[in-house]
Amino acid sequence: MSEQDHLYSFVASIRTRAEQESGAILTEAEQIRSAELEAERLLLAKEREKIMNTARDEAQKDAGRLLSEAVRTSAAAISEKQLAIRDSVIARAESRIAEFSEGEEYPAFLQASAERLCKALPAGAMRVFLRTRDLAYVEMLTPLFPEGTVFAEDASIRLGGLRAASPDGRVTADDTLDTHLAEQKRRFAETAGLDIS
């Protein structure tokens, strides 16, 4: 096996491990979210039942007004707790991602990211953006991109990863950890609804 094949095999195994760990982080966040949501559902169901029983007792005086108030109160409590759970899970995920971007497997992630960007953009030189502390990896990344590629720091990238654009800026690709986390946050918000009916 040639030295190039060994190098490719080594990079592929590092990339696979980084992707597995990234998947494990997302799986753990999903498990935490599910457990917290179930606990909150049970608690809110008990609170709702208590509110509903009180509302039923007082409903003889003004049934419509009290029931409506109870539903609004429950909905507000659910919404508030849902936001707190989401923020907690996302904060933990962000912390784990920050740890990953400081670890020894992060350079392999950047190399895999470079491959994904090169496939996503038209052939030829491009502009690659990375966070300030990742400028130290430019020498490692330069051979992975087409000749003439320019590297620049981007203060909007907080967690790490790479973003690239064609020289004319018409085609861009974003493989930053920030964007991946934002996508997970969006998915979480869409799927973490609590049914109060």
Side-chain angles (χ1 to χ4, degrees), residues 53-196:
N53 286 337
T54 301
R56 281 187 199 104
D57 293 341
E58 296 178 7
Q60 295 170 358
K61 298 175 187 171
D62 192 355
R65 181 184 60 82
L66 290 176
L67 186 56
S68 177
E69 181 70 26
V71 169
R72 277 196 306 275
T73 302
S74 293
I78 288 171
S79 179
E80 186 176 315
K81 290 194 185 254
Q82 185 178 3
L83 287 173
I85 290 169
R86 183 195 68 191
D87 291 346
S88 172
V89 169
I90 295 299
R92 280 186 280 194
E94 186 170 341
S95 175
R96 294 283 303 271
I97 290 170
E99 288 174 18
F100 169 75
S101 69
E102 298 300 323
E104 60 187 41
E105 294 179 357
Y106 181 63
F109 171 80
L110 288 177
Q111 290 173 332
S113 182
E115 283 184 26
R116 288 189 289 272
L117 293 176
C118 286
K119 288 178 184 176
L121 291 173
M126 58 185 77
R127 290 182 298 150
V128 177
F129 302 94
L130 57 167
R131 65 183 179 166
T132 304
R133 75 175 66 171
D134 290 345
L135 290 172
Y137 296 112
V138 168
E139 188 175 328
M140 173 193 74
L141 294 170
T142 299
L144 303 174
F145 287 97
E147 188 175 328
T149 294
V150 176
F151 294 86
E153 65 181 298
D154 184 339
S156 70
I157 303 173
R158 295 181 314 103
L159 297 174
L162 303 173
R163 180 182 303 124
S166 60
D168 61 8
R170 290 184 181 173
V171 182
T172 61
D174 190 327
D175 195 35
T176 61
L177 294 170
D178 304 73
T179 299
H180 292 301
L181 180 64
E183 177 62 20
Q184 289 303 314
K185 186 175 183 178
R186 183 190 63 76
R187 284 188 200 159
F188 184 92
E190 289 176 356
T191 61
L194 297 175
D195 184 8
I196 61 167

Side-chain angles (χ1 to χ4, degrees), residues 45-57:
K46 288 179 185 177
E47 290 176 2
R48 180 172 178 246
E49 187 61 33
K50 192 189 314 183
I51 290 169
M52 295 301 281
N53 286 337
T54 301
R56 281 187 199 104
D57 293 341

